[in-house]
Amino acid sequence: MQALRKRLRIDAILADLPSLIEGLMEGAERSAAIVDGLKRFSATDRGGAERFDLADAVRRSAHWVEKAAPAHVQLLLDAPDAPVMLCGAAGRIQQVLINLVQNAVDATAHHPAPRVSVRLTEADGWATVTVADNGPGLSPEVQQRLFEPFFTTKPVGEGTGLGLSISFGIVEQHGGQLRADNAPEGGARFTLRLPLAN
């Protein structure tokens, strides 16, 4: 039995088992995240259009991301107290907002004084949400590919590359626009424009 145990390397396999299981679980979780993202990317919105307050959605999105963000991140919010009414799928727009704010927080991870600003304005029948950070900004190469499915600047295992492509599709479905550039003062800036409800 001892010779067989040695020949089959039973002890070595048992010693490696915890790390093998941990790696297996991590791979399964990453696969689940990718499949979930693909489902959201390919799914059509099953909910009907409804009137909703974008100002409230912006405030809630910023609040949720801020609660999970590192304590030293400064999140500046500028949204009117009065309702900014849109017509569409409130949950899907909330998903876009959370994604934009979370990406901005992630972009400031290595900044000594990380700052993210979220601003909502309305004019000429359009609502505009600007999400800006003081991170490293976007290179021309990244700007060209930013909204492509599976393109990510995050390390392996930290991003699926589907968030911005899904967000872009949701915004288009709502008759809006989503653009990215670098702010004059530095850092990335995402501009979301959506038509106001009649």
Side-chain angles (χ1 to χ4, degrees):
M1 294 261 314
Q2 286 295 334
L4 192 60
R5 186 181 185 105
K6 188 174 182 180
R7 186 166 59 84
L8 295 175
R9 301 180 58 234
I10 300 294
D11 292 326
I13 290 170
L14 287 174
D16 287 345
L17 208 54
S19 64
L20 289 172
I21 291 172
E22 187 178 320
L24 204 71
M25 292 300 294
E26 183 182 330
E29 286 169 6
R30 285 178 52 206
S31 297
I34 290 170
V35 169
D36 183 56
L38 280 170
K39 280 167 37 183
R40 284 185 282 130
F41 181 68
S42 63
T44 55
D45 195 2
R46 291 177 179 83
E50 59 184 357
R51 286 174 64 87
F52 68 95
D53 180 9
L54 181 63
D56 181 57
V58 166
R59 282 190 290 269
R60 277 189 284 123
S61 300
H63 176 74
W64 289 347
V65 174
E66 187 176 30
K67 286 293 179 191
H72 62 289
V73 174
Q74 183 184 17
L75 202 151
L76 307 169
L77 177 61
D78 181 8
D81 293 327
V84 177
M85 300 307 292
L86 266 58
C87 190
R92 304 274 289 190
I93 295 300
Q94 184 102 38
Q95 178 185 342
V96 172
L97 294 167
I98 290 172
N99 187 266
L100 294 178
V101 178
Q102 184 62 61
N103 282 352
V105 168
D106 293 345
T108 64
H110 301 295
H111 197 285
R115 187 181 69 253
V116 173
S117 67
V118 183
R119 185 166 186 253
L120 169 60
T121 58
E122 57 178 313
D124 302 323
W126 290 86
T128 303
V129 180
T130 307
V131 180
D133 63 63
N134 64 346
L138 305 168
S139 69
E141 295 79 18
V142 168
Q143 283 188 54
Q144 286 180 351
R145 301 191 59 200
L146 205 53
F147 298 111
E148 290 180 13
F150 303 109
F151 176 75
T152 182
T153 58
K154 294 178 181 177
V156 173
E158 289 187 25
T160 60
L162 289 172
L164 285 175
S165 60
I166 291 169
S167 295
F168 190 85
I170 291 170
V171 173
E172 277 196 330
Q173 288 171 1
H174 284 77
Q177 302 157 359
L178 181 58
R179 297 190 321 269
D181 64 355
N182 289 311
E185 63 273 16
R189 176 176 60 186
F190 285 79
T191 305
L192 165 64
R193 293 185 78 230
L194 292 163
L196 294 170
N198 293 328

